[in-house]
Amino acid sequence: MKALIKISALLVLIAIITPAHSQSLVHVMHTRNQYQFVFKVSKEMLGAHVGIQSEAGNQINSQRLMKRKMIIDFTDLPVGHYTVVVEKDGKAESFEYVRNWR
């Protein structure tokens, strides 16, 4: 009986925590290709501005997000640290990408 109570309490706790954990507007996905940065956004972030900045702060590329999933290919860029910024309506999330020498 005690095991049933513990399992029930654990399931309730997981049900409460899971929606709070999935509130992120941008979800980074992993790929096999080490030179690609892939992310998926929630529907409310459609039309967001996506910008890529170098470690010196120079804007390399920017465009509007027209679909929920975007793949950014860093193959042609030199080795260094890059920042990917996704922003819309005052909400912004930034991610670091490190382009290493192979």
Side-chain angles (χ1 to χ4, degrees):
M1 188 67 169
K2 289 183 182 181
L4 182 62
I5 293 172
K6 288 180 183 179
I7 292 173
S8 298
L10 183 62
L11 289 175
V12 169
L13 184 62
I14 290 172
I16 291 171
I17 292 174
T18 303
H21 179 66
S22 64
Q23 292 293 332
S24 178
L25 299 173
V26 180
H27 175 69
V28 177
M29 302 168 68
H30 298 284
T31 63
R32 289 185 195 177
N33 189 339
Q34 63 183 359
Y35 302 119
Q36 290 182 346
F37 182 80
V38 181
F39 63 93
K40 189 173 183 179
V41 299
S42 62
K43 288 183 181 180
E44 63 188 56
M45 290 297 284
L46 283 176
H49 177 263
V50 179
I52 303 171
Q53 298 175 349
S54 67
E55 56 190 333
N58 300 332
Q59 185 81 16
I60 294 174
N61 194 357
S62 67
Q63 68 182 62
R64 275 185 69 197
L65 185 61
M66 302 306 291
K67 294 186 178 186
R68 291 184 62 196
K69 184 177 177 182
M70 179 178 259
I71 300 171
I72 301 172
D73 191 5
F74 287 91
T75 304
D76 295 333
L77 295 177
V79 174
H81 295 267
Y82 297 94
T83 305
V84 178
V85 180
V86 181
E87 60 183 336
K88 181 180 179 185
D89 298 334
K91 299 175 188 174
E93 290 197 34
S94 62
F95 302 95
E96 294 291 323
Y97 178 82
V98 179
R99 168 79 158 85
N100 293 322
W101 179 254
R102 190 166 193 200

